[in-house]
Each structure stands twice: as structure tokens, then as C-alpha cells.
Amino acid sequence: DDDDDDATADSGPDGAGADAGIDAQTNVTLDDICATDGVFPDLFGEFIACNAFFEVFLGGVPSDADLSAACYGQFQPFVDDGTVTIGDGAALAACLAYVDGLTCADLEFVSPGPCEDLFIGSVELEGTCENDNQCAGDAYCAAPDKSGCGTCAAQVADGESCQGDSPCATGHCRADGICGGLSDVGDPCGGDDDCRGAATCDPDTSLCVAAAALGDDCVPAFEAPPCGFPLSGLYCDPDTNQCAPQLDGGQDCNHFFACDLLHAETCDSDGTGQCLAPTIGAETDECGAVIGVQCGAGLRCTAPFSSNPGVCFTPGALDEACDVNDPTTGCGFLLECIDATCQYIDYAGTCVAP
């Protein structure tokens, strides 16, 4: 798990990277973005690789084919209807350079980045829209609900109220519902998402603090485990009161959090005194870290980190039936349950302003 910190994204379409002679005159198509060797699978693949939580939540790491299908599914309808055009070679080169230089420590998805310039919207202010990318310039699609039609509206400055990141010019709606940039270490925060990079928000001081490191002093706690548990791969060792590496199956353990709970490994403190590898659950089996059961390949747990067990289920594929009130019928990667079927977007084609 710790090796993820040094991960960097692949070099982009055909492994070319940002130095393959791409310039403003290069003809860029949606294939350069969404194909299996495009920039979208690289960028989102890096995001998933840097967040072990998603591997568990998604029931495995999505393949490049999965990422490619999700990209086409979300953007092709708007390219086809002309409300979105693709940027030029300079925009692609800038995006590739950005992806090539990414590390897990600086990967951010809440601030505007150069890859956003790959999609150019044509819908003017107050025009009807379904997606932020359809709106011209820096405008966003102000929709009454996540999948409904809306109108393009101007983004607001820091200090203005917000619901979600899209309305904010800096790309981030802070935990207090106010637009604002990400906080550096030592600056105020309302939650981890307010802090830049791998920094976290100290619940006692409401200030961003540097990510925990091996050997840092700590105080064991159950309500808010220190040391960046569980994503950091560290836990607070009660014998030393220092951050220590989480243990693997079969190793002696001295604390509930000593084992890799993210992957449902538990400390058998009343038996062997060792970390136990998870039981692999089949479809409809109960699952979750709390009972040491991890769903098998291709399955997902409805509640992997809850204090109560969830249920293993097969995520729905595109166009398969789903029920928003039944978590065991949940949809697959980047799909939503729309009108009782799994879809990438709720595409109306011709929106009527709300």
C-alpha cells in the first residue's frame, strides 16, 4: 500500500507522453481522451491507484476498458449534439504534461486543472444544459438535481455560499458551505477535503496538519484513529504511542486497528493474537471490515466500512435494472441508477429550462 505514494500516471495516448510533437495544430478527437490508451483512463486510473478506499468500494480496480467506456458514456452524447467540442493539441499537450507529473501527494480533483480545457462548451449563460462541460467559458450547469436539466450560470468567487464544487471559481466548496481554495498545513479546515494534498484536518484544532509519517507520536483512539488510518497503511501502536506499519495476516497484533481493516483483516485478540486474513464472501453473503469478510472478485459490499455488516452483490452493468432504494442492485463504475436502469448520464438531448 505504501508504494502508492510514488505512483505516477502512464504517459498518455500510445505511451507518447507530453513530448510527442503535439502542438496547437494537432487534430484532437474524443478518442485521444477516452480510448483505452487515452488521457482519461490514465488520469482516473492514477486517482484510483492513489486511493485504496476505491479499490474496496468498487469491488476491484476498474480496467482501462471500464474507464474508457465510462468516458465515452459521459462525453460522447454532448460531442454528438454539438454542445461540447474538443480542445486543440496545446490543450492535450498541457493535460498530458499534467498527468505525467502527477504523484499521489499532489493529486487533486477539486481544483480546476489543465485537463478541463480539453472540453469546450458552447452554451451561453442562461442557456439550458445538462452538464457543466456544455457551458461556455467558466460557467457551470446549475441544475435542481444531479441528473436534471438546468441553466448555465456564472461561477461565484471565494466567500460565496455553495452546494457542491461546480459553482465555485476555485473548484472547491468547503465543509462550511462556502467557496474557498484548499488549505495548506496550519490553515483552518472543516474536514479532510478542505486540506491540500495528503494533509488532513485535525478534529481538535480544525487546522490542516501534515500527513502522518512512520514514527510520529500519536495517542490511540477509536472514534478518530490517528496516523491517517486506514488509507496511510499506518496505525497508532499502543506499546510505543508512535505511528507504525499496519500488520499482515499471521503477524502478532496488539490493537484492533493494527491489521489491514481496509481489506477486512482483523486482530484475533481473544484467540491466536494474530491478524487474520479476511474470509472471501460470495454473492448475498454478509460482508464488511467489522466481521472480517471481503467480497469476492467482481462483487461489491453494500457497507464495507460500516459498524453493521453489508451484503455482497454484483454491480449492475450498463442498461441493467436497478432500484435506488435497494443497495444490492447498485450500478457499476461511474454508472447511476436513472429511471430504474444503470446509465452513465441522464441525457435528455433537448433540455427544457427548469
Side-chain angles (χ1 to χ4, degrees):
D1 293 336
D2 293 339
D3 292 339
D4 286 346
D5 292 338
D6 297 321
T8 55
D10 295 334
S11 54
D14 298 321
D19 301 319
I22 299 172
D23 57 30
Q25 282 69 49
T26 300
N27 181 40
V28 182
T29 69
L30 190 62
D31 292 338
D32 293 305
I33 302 169
C34 292
T36 54
D37 59 355
V39 69
F40 182 96
D42 275 354
L43 181 59
F44 274 80
E46 179 74 0
F47 178 67
I48 292 168
C50 289
N51 292 272
F53 167 83
F54 287 98
E55 176 188 348
V56 178
F57 180 76
L58 295 173
V61 178
S63 67
D64 285 346
D66 293 330
L67 293 166
S68 175
C71 181
Y72 282 116
Q74 292 188 59
F75 296 115
Q76 188 74 64
F78 303 118
V79 173
D80 289 345
D81 71 15
T83 57
V84 172
T85 57
I86 305 301
D88 60 15
L92 177 61
C95 181
L96 285 170
Y98 170 73
V99 174
D100 282 343
L102 280 176
T103 67
C104 292
D106 57 21
L107 183 63
E108 302 286 3
F109 266 74
V110 296
S111 300
C115 293
E116 293 187 0
D117 294 334
L118 286 172
F119 299 102
I120 302 171
S122 62
V123 180
E124 299 296 335
L125 292 178
E126 299 185 4
T128 56
C129 57
E130 300 179 60
N131 182 284
D132 291 341
N133 290 291
Q134 292 177 282
C135 298
D138 295 328
Y140 75 103
C141 188
D145 58 73
K146 186 176 182 181
S147 59
C149 294
T151 55
C152 290
Q155 291 182 310
V156 298
D158 287 356
E160 299 291 331
S161 62
C162 52
Q163 291 183 335
D165 294 330
S166 292
C168 301
T170 53
H172 180 48
C173 183
R174 295 176 65 86
D176 59 3
I178 301 296
C179 288
L182 296 172
S183 296
D184 294 314
V185 171
D187 291 339
C189 55
D192 290 346
D193 288 344
D194 286 346
C195 300
R196 190 180 307 281
T200 59
C201 189
D202 186 326
D204 296 325
T205 64
S206 293
L207 298 176
C208 292
V209 295
L214 184 67
D216 282 356
D217 292 334
C218 59
V219 177
F222 278 89
E223 290 298 323
C227 301
F229 178 90
L231 295 179
S232 66
L234 302 173
Y235 81 106
C236 188
D237 187 336
D239 292 338
T240 63
N241 282 351
Q242 291 183 331
C243 295
Q246 285 180 285
L247 306 174
D248 294 324
Q251 290 186 284
D252 294 339
C253 52
N254 58 357
H255 194 273
F256 179 74
F257 293 129
C259 308
D260 185 6
L261 278 181
L262 191 66
H263 295 94
E265 293 187 2
T266 54
C267 183
D268 185 18
S269 56
D270 295 328
T272 63
Q274 296 178 334
C275 291
L276 300 179
T279 299
I280 303 302
E283 189 151 15
T284 72
D285 285 351
E286 288 192 334
C287 55
V290 69
I291 59 172
V293 177
Q294 186 174 18
C295 296
L299 302 177
R300 186 185 299 173
C301 185
T302 58
F305 309 116
S306 173
S307 57
N308 296 310
V311 176
C312 293
F313 72 100
T314 300
L318 182 67
D319 293 327
E320 287 189 349
C322 57
D323 182 349
V324 293
N325 297 311
D326 181 0
T328 63
T329 67
C331 299
F333 179 65
L334 289 184
L335 291 166
E336 299 178 60
C337 188
I338 298 171
D339 295 331
T341 61
C342 294
Q343 303 293 327
Y344 286 113
I345 54 173
D346 184 9
Y347 179 70
T350 303
C351 266
V352 178

